[in-house]
PDB file of all heavy atoms in Angstrom:
ATOM      1  N   ASN G 411     -31.777  71.537-143.546  1.00  0.00           N
ATOM      2  CA  ASN G 411     -32.460  70.711-144.585  1.00  0.00           C
ATOM      3  C   ASN G 411     -33.868  71.339-144.730  1.00  0.00           C
ATOM      4  O   ASN G 411     -34.812  70.873-144.054  1.00  0.00           O
ATOM      5  CB  ASN G 411     -32.519  69.237-144.133  1.00  0.00           C
ATOM      6  CG  ASN G 411     -33.184  68.401-145.164  1.00  0.00           C
ATOM      7  OD1 ASN G 411     -33.803  68.902-146.134  1.00  0.00           O
ATOM      8  ND2 ASN G 411     -33.072  67.030-145.011  1.00  0.00           N
ATOM      9  N   ALA G 414     -36.936  69.266-145.773  1.00  0.00           N
ATOM     10  CA  ALA G 414     -37.603  68.449-144.797  1.00  0.00           C
ATOM     11  C   ALA G 414     -38.332  69.252-143.746  1.00  0.00           C
ATOM     12  O   ALA G 414     -38.661  68.834-142.634  1.00  0.00           O
ATOM     13  CB  ALA G 414     -36.631  67.483-144.119  1.00  0.00           C
ATOM     14  N   LEU G 429     -30.221  68.438-140.720  1.00  0.00           N
ATOM     15  CA  LEU G 429     -29.079  68.864-141.465  1.00  0.00           C
ATOM     16  C   LEU G 429     -29.094  68.479-142.914  1.00  0.00           C
ATOM     17  O   LEU G 429     -29.574  67.367-143.208  1.00  0.00           O
ATOM     18  CB  LEU G 429     -27.732  68.409-140.870  1.00  0.00           C
ATOM     19  CG  LEU G 429     -27.482  68.971-139.391  1.00  0.00           C
ATOM     20  CD1 LEU G 429     -26.305  68.175-138.780  1.00  0.00           C
ATOM     21  CD2 LEU G 429     -27.046  70.475-139.477  1.00  0.00           C
ATOM     22  N   ASN G 430     -28.648  69.266-143.787  1.00  0.00           N
ATOM     23  CA  ASN G 430     -28.569  69.036-145.216  1.00  0.00           C
ATOM     24  C   ASN G 430     -27.270  68.322-145.493  1.00  0.00           C
ATOM     25  O   ASN G 430     -26.202  68.889-145.370  1.00  0.00           O
ATOM     26  CB  ASN G 430     -28.602  70.384-145.978  1.00  0.00           C
ATOM     27  CG  ASN G 430     -28.562  70.220-147.433  1.00  0.00           C
ATOM     28  OD1 ASN G 430     -27.944  69.261-147.960  1.00  0.00           O
ATOM     29  ND2 ASN G 430     -29.120  71.143-148.154  1.00  0.00           N
ATOM     30  N   SER G 431     -27.332  67.099-145.849  1.00  0.00           N
ATOM     31  CA  SER G 431     -26.138  66.251-145.951  1.00  0.00           C
ATOM     32  C   SER G 431     -25.242  66.757-147.068  1.00  0.00           C
ATOM     33  O   SER G 431     -23.971  66.605-146.969  1.00  0.00           O
ATOM     34  CB  SER G 431     -26.550  64.810-146.199  1.00  0.00           C
ATOM     35  OG  SER G 431     -27.415  64.654-147.229  1.00  0.00           O
TER      36      SER G 431
HETATM   37  C1  LIG P  51     -33.583  66.172-145.982  1.00  0.00           C
HETATM   38  O1  LIG P  51     -34.417  65.359-145.249  1.00  0.00           O
HETATM   39  C2  LIG P  51     -35.120  64.387-145.994  1.00  0.00           C
HETATM   40  C3  LIG P  51     -36.150  63.678-145.103  1.00  0.00           C
HETATM   41  O2  LIG P  51     -35.470  63.208-143.902  1.00  0.00           O
HETATM   42  C4  LIG P  51     -34.071  63.381-146.530  1.00  0.00           C
HETATM   43  O3  LIG P  51     -34.778  62.376-147.314  1.00  0.00           O
HETATM   44  C5  LIG P  51     -33.100  64.122-147.465  1.00  0.00           C
HETATM   45  O4  LIG P  51     -32.160  63.266-147.935  1.00  0.00           O
HETATM   46  C6  LIG P  51     -32.463  65.302-146.687  1.00  0.00           C
HETATM   47  N1  LIG P  51     -31.764  66.087-147.618  1.00  0.00           N
HETATM   48  C7  LIG P  51     -30.450  66.258-147.524  1.00  0.00           C
HETATM   49  C8  LIG P  51     -29.835  67.036-148.602  1.00  0.00           C
HETATM   50  O5  LIG P  51     -29.850  65.869-146.635  1.00  0.00           O
END
Side-chain angles (χ1 to χ4, degrees):
N411 182 349
L429 294 166
N430 180 332
S431 56

